[in-house]
Amino acid sequence: MTKKTSNAMWGGRFADGPDAIMTAINASIDFDKRLYAQDIQGSRAHAAMLAATGIISDNDASAIREGLLTVLSEIESGDFPFSAALEDIHMNVESRLKDLIGEPAGRLHTARSRNDQVATDFKLWVRDQFDAVDAALQALMSALVAQAEAGADWVMPGFTHLQTAQPVTWGHHMLAYVEMFGRDLSRVRDARARMNTSPLGAAALAGTSFPIDRHMTASALGFDAPAANSLDAVADRDFALEFLSCASITAMHLSRFAEELVIWSSAQFRFVALSDRFSTGSSIMPQKKNPDAAELIRAKIGRILGAMVGLFTVMKGLPLTYSKDMQEDKEQVFDAADNLMLALAAMSGMVADMNANVSSLEAAASSGFSTATDLADWLVRELDLPFRDAHYVTGTLVGMAEKQGVDLPELTLADMQSVHGEINEGVYGVLTVQNSVASRQSYGGTAPDQVRLQVKRWQEILK
Ligand code: ARG
């Protein structure tokens, strides 16, 4: 066979080589070299299957296997000559294999196409990311559960509209995030289970006339089954879209929590002290300790959700099956996965290090008339007032306390009775924040007992 000036892998019908700009827009090697391990793993499985089914000889298969291992170690040692002229990781590997083992290399691509090859490589890579995110979410959840256990009865303000609403416990607040990341974890597992079918052997789009064994390659690569429709197998990027969707929801959760840490660590709140390990100083203001890690985590949703919107937009309107547009699937998934993993690791570290300022939390919980609802409930329970009337009486008492510049427990009984004559000493029992949280015993409520039950439940799940 004579080599052409055009691409040695597909240049048979071409007289001329590509324009430099064509090479620049077409080549993906700069980023898809990241799939080298998956590409070689897929090729090894494919070659073994070709030999097992008698499509190639055992000798060729073992030459291919040895050659691929050499390519792998060349890439891993950093002295692999990646070439943009060879477009992508698939052709870079195959071309180097040819240099190393000669003719048998040309048999590797029997009954395969880059279309099923890239779908397989990318799926294997994304599957690893699902597993990495799974582990990182569990680590973060464990750090949060430890915080919840330590502070099951520390009182803090609960907010709506970022206005003090009712006292809650620190543990309860930590566990709210455990629930959120727990849903993220179950989403990751759902998506991972759904995506675990093998595209390999779908070939270009229609399947192949060679007597291949797709079950064999699927199981060698840890897939549950071969993808059942060859057209779908090469056209599908749902696994990447689902990864980005999962990643975006997690990044959104991280962003909400990061925002709370930024607020809580401010001098105005002082709810928590973030460790030096996850803070930075200012180059001009010596007193400053900035929550940079929290701020960056808060921001990561931008690029991660951007990647999701980006890939949805690439995929929308693409006719079946493969189109080169789909080469634009990788960089944004790589970037999103890297940044999500970084954000999860940083958040885990911050949570593990974070020190709650128990006295500021309690002081804040006691201000802002946070037990007003307890007062109204007491009026309903003890004086049999309709809740609407109790709400009105309480509102009047809050107005009175505000005018006097005191909190509800500091109003005298005479003051209280001037608003409603039947109020008695017993009311003071519900005006403390400790009693308020302890009374919220409904399932999933903020009472320390309930928090401890949920801590146990999560410890069981996470162990
Ligand atoms: N580099 C390509 C990609 O990432 C590989 C598949 C190329 N297939 C093709 N028919 N040109 O999508």
Side-chain angles (χ1 to χ4, degrees), residues 141-190:
M141 291 164 73
S142 296
L144 286 162
V145 170
Q147 284 282 354
E149 188 175 29
D153 43 22
W154 301 342
V155 181
M156 67 179 282
F159 299 93
T160 59
H161 315 265
L162 196 56
Q163 307 290 318
T164 299
Q166 294 174 351
V168 296
T169 48
W170 171 262
H172 200 48
H173 200 110
M174 294 297 114
L175 289 181
Y177 284 101
V178 175
E179 294 290 332
M180 290 150 82
F181 294 121
R183 286 193 297 275
D184 293 344
L185 188 59
S186 85
R187 258 186 289 277
V188 160
R189 289 175 181 177
D190 282 353

Side-chain angles (χ1 to χ4, degrees), residues 287-351:
Q287 86 284 10
K288 296 247 335 204
K289 184 164 153 187
N290 294 327
D292 291 40
E295 294 171 85
L296 288 163
I297 294 167
R298 184 172 62 185
K300 289 298 184 191
I301 178 70
R303 64 203 296 164
I304 293 171
L305 183 61
M308 185 186 93
V309 174
L311 186 55
F312 270 93
T313 312
V314 166
M315 295 306 294
K316 96 165 260 304
L318 287 188
L320 297 185
T321 53
Y322 178 85
S323 297
K324 195 62 173 260
D325 309 52
M326 289 159 71
Q327 180 166 286
E328 293 283 316
D329 59 0
K330 292 170 207 63
E331 281 169 292
Q332 28 205 350
V333 177
F334 292 162
D335 185 76
D338 290 345
N339 281 283
L340 181 65
M341 287 302 293
L342 200 51
L344 283 167
M347 188 58 101
S348 290
M350 283 195 344
V351 171

Side-chain angles (χ1 to χ4, degrees), residues 1-17:
M1 248 181 57
T2 51
K3 280 219 175 136
K4 308 275 165 50
T5 50
S6 62
N7 190 300
M9 297 288 156
W10 48 246
R13 80 188 296 282
F14 287 76
D16 234 350

Side-chain angles (χ1 to χ4, degrees), residues 28 32 88 90 114-115 118 237 322 324 326-327 330:
S28 53
D32 69 14
D88 56 26
H90 323 295
R114 276 189 294 155
N115 297 347
V118 72
R237 292 295 180 274
Y322 178 85
K324 195 62 173 260
M326 289 159 71
Q327 180 166 286
K330 292 170 207 63

